[in-house]
């Protein structure tokens, strides 16, 4: 018994000695100049306490997460956005994951949501000219799309849709409670949009962006839920694999200290949260004929190939009322001004102009806007506020000959004005051509004079001795600006449709 008590005393004295030693160590470490507060806060115990505290960011827990099954580049520095290389035309999986916590967004439980996937420009300089860039790509690659869904490989997607006027976007419905994967194919390559084509140019980066919406009270998928995107570069087939290998070999040659400045390569790419694409509330959600194509602000839309319901920039039809409705009015409230900024792709400046009404914004001079927003954005915002439309490439004046006139014998000079011979003056309409092609002439004539476009077979120009010359693209390109024409219609030989004859 005495031996047991002796052992207890020895153990107790040993513990006291160890505890005293640990305390003396703490005293030495906490001496003057021996520690910094940042070192103390970096201790694991403080990190655990911080993680247990409720953060403001937790209130904005993203409801969804999108993961693209493609490796990120190892040649990206820390704190920079990840970069992923893709092969042109290859199918890549994007996993649509439900990331909601228990009880979050019960209104979408058991319901479908809609997602729109886009490929857009990453470079802000190209964002300002996206419409022109994509129209040029469309001209060089007729019938192709920038982005496609590989439907046979996709899982869980419903009611997939593509819009012919939006070659860079696809949309579909999906159930967050079920496994969903969308396989996408990007058909444009990064070097197609570089200014010089001498070989070896650095390709421009793109972005893959996913915007998700729920149904509103009217059953339309317009209520925004979540948006995320990632940076990509697209290479010709197998080019992405070679680029990934090159980056990996370069990193292997770096020292251990240099490698610490770069991110590791991950097997998958997680799309990071971002603002919704500015055109999503109005474009591609409903089928209204006045909807503007993606990548075009209301002013830029005048230089595209409009649909059958659109008009020339200065024509007195529906196009003017549409353009005027897009113009910011001095009476616009702060909320309406914010909506106008978003709709015209100035989302990055909504916070800056959060207290500006329409009158406040319109009072700013061009110099003010350039100083506030920078040269590129300032000039674009100034032009948008002043509703400066793109000048048409060709203007012609056209008058429909009176029905009483004989089509083959009327010789009223087109440029001479005057009247129709019965006391009624000739009234000419201005036709503004954004594209100098024959089909544009036919479409604008149909629009202005209420002629069904599908009934127009050919457009002719009356030549010497009354012969009919087919109006070709080359002939239109040789029209003089502000030329005047009379025209009449004749039935086609087979009785199906009409011909238009310009005089």
């Amino acid at each position: 018994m005495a031996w047991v008590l002796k052992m207890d005393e020895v153990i107790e004295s040993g513990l006291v000695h160890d505890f005293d030693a640990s305390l003396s160590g703490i005293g030495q470490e906490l001496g003057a100049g021996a520690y910094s507060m940042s070192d103390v806060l970096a201790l694991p115990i403080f990190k655990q306490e911080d993680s247990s505290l409720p953060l403001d960011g937790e209130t904005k827990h993203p409801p969804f997460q999108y993961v693209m099954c493609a490796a990120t580049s190892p040649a990206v520095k820390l704190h920079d956005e990840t970069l992923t290389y893709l092969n042109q035309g290859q199918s890549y999986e994007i996993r649509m994951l439900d990331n909601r916590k228990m009880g979050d967004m019960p209104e979408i439980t058991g319901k479908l949501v809609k997602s729109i996937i886009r490929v857009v420009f990453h470079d802000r300089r190209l964002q300002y000219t996206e419409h022109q860039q994509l129209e040029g790509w469309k001209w060089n690659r007729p019938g192709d799309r920038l982005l496609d869904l590989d439907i046979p490989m996709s899982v869980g997607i419903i009611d997939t849709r593509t819009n012919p006027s939006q070659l860079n976007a696809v949309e579909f419905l999906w159930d967050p409670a079920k496994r969903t994967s969308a396989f996408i194919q990007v058909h444009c390559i990064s070097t197609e949009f570089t200014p010089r084509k001498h070989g070896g140019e650095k390709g421009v980066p793109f972005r893959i962006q996913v915007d998700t919406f729920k149904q509103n009270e009217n059953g339309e998928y317009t209520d925004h839920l979540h948006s995320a995107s990632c940076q990509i570069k697209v290479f010709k087939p197998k080019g992405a694999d070679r680029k990934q290998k090159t980056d990996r070999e370069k990193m292997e040659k770096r020292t251990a200290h240099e490698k610490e400045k770069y991110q590791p390569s991950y097997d998958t790419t997680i799309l990071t949260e971002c603002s919704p694409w500015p055109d999503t509330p109005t474009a591609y959600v409903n089928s209204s004929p006045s909807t503007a194509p993606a990548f075009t602000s209301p002013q830029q839309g005048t230089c595209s190939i409009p649909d059958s319901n659109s008009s020339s920039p200065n024509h007195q039809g529906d196009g003017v009322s549409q353009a005027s409705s897009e113009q910011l009015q001095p009476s616009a409230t702060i909320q309406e001004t914010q909506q106008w900024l978003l709709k015209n792709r100035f989302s990055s400046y909504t916070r800056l102009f959060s207290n500006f009404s329409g009158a406040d914004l319109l009072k700013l001079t061009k110099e003010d806007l350039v100083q506030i927003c920078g040269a590129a954005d300032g000039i674009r915002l100034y032009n948008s506020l002043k509703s400066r439309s793109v000048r048409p490439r060709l203007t012609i004046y056209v008058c429909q000959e009176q029905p009483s006139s004989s089509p083959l014998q009327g010789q009223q000079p087109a440029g001479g004005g005057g009247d129709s011979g019965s006391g009624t003056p000739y009234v000419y309409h201005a036709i503004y051509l954004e594209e100098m092609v024959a089909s544009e002439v036919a479409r604008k004539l149909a629009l202005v004079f209420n002629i069904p476009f599908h009934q127009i077979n050919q457009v002719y120009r009356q030549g010497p001795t009354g012969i009919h010359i087919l109006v070709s693209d080359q002939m239109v390109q040789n029209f003089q600006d502000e030329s005047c024409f009379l025209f009449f219609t004749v039935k086609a030989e087979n009785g199906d449709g009409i011909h238009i004859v310009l005089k």
Side-chain angles (χ1 to χ4, degrees), residues 299 326-333 337 340-341 353 356-366 368-369 381-388:
Q299 289 73 30
E326 301 293 352
Q327 184 178 357
L328 183 65
Q329 302 296 327
S331 58
T333 63
T337 304
W340 184 89
L341 288 169
F353 296 117
F356 279 65
S357 65
D360 296 331
L361 205 54
L362 288 166
K363 288 178 182 176
L364 296 176
T365 64
K366 184 176 181 179
D368 293 336
L369 293 171
L381 180 54
Y382 177 79
N383 289 338
S384 298
L385 289 170
K386 303 303 179 183
S387 294
R388 293 191 172 186

Side-chain angles (χ1 to χ4, degrees), residues 253-296:
K253 295 178 182 179
R254 295 182 182 272
T255 64
H257 178 70
E258 290 176 333
K259 289 180 181 179
E260 292 177 355
K261 301 178 182 179
Y262 290 85
Q263 302 179 21
S265 175
Y266 299 99
D267 293 335
T268 57
T269 303
I270 298 177
L271 279 67
T272 55
E273 281 194 282
C274 64
S275 301
W277 187 252
D279 287 334
T280 47
T282 56
Y284 209 179
V285 173
N286 54 56
S287 57
S288 172
S290 61
T291 299
F295 299 114
T296 53

